[in-house]
Amino acid sequence: MIDLATLESSVFTPLVGQSMIIRSGDKSATLEVVDVSIHHHKFPGSTREGFTISFRGQQGLRIPQAIYSLEHPGVGVMDVFITQTGDGPKGSEFESVFT
């Protein structure tokens, strides 16, 4: 399991355009990494700049905001909080914010 406290945006930048698997119990879905945006500031006590990962799933996909296992063969498995931000013409939109 990846330690989120040490995770940097540079881990996800090369994954833009690639798929990750999101899992909760026996259910799973595929999400594409569409953007990694850096916040350009550090929170007090943090050693990294905050960043947001934007994902897209199939249109009509509904996932309640919660902590999910996120998997990628080149990165590994991590538990992250994911929030749905919309459902547009290109698919359902999600994000995970790291501070």
Side-chain angles (χ1 to χ4, degrees):
M1 186 73 67
I2 295 173
D3 180 6
L4 297 183
T6 62
L7 198 58
E8 300 279 340
S9 61
S10 60
V11 170
F12 293 96
T13 302
L15 302 182
V16 171
Q18 295 186 29
S19 295
M20 299 187 82
I21 303 297
I22 180 176
R23 295 187 192 280
S24 177
D26 62 346
K27 296 183 180 184
S28 66
T30 301
L31 299 179
E32 176 189 356
V33 179
V34 294
D35 185 54
V36 178
S37 58
I38 300 171
H39 301 168
H40 298 292
H41 65 274
K42 293 181 183 177
F43 283 90
S46 179
T47 59
R48 68 168 178 218
E49 290 184 309
F51 62 97
T52 299
I53 306 168
S54 299
F55 302 96
R56 185 176 303 125
Q58 68 185 30
Q59 192 170 26
L61 179 64
R62 299 290 182 263
I63 299 174
Q65 68 179 19
I67 296 173
Y68 294 94
S69 288
L70 191 61
E71 303 173 16
H72 185 275
V75 176
V77 178
M78 65 200 84
D79 288 339
V80 298
F81 188 79
I82 295 179
T83 301
Q84 186 154 12
T85 59
D87 188 15
K90 294 182 179 180
S92 294
E93 300 159 354
F94 305 88
E95 70 179 14
S96 186
V97 177
F98 296 79
T99 57

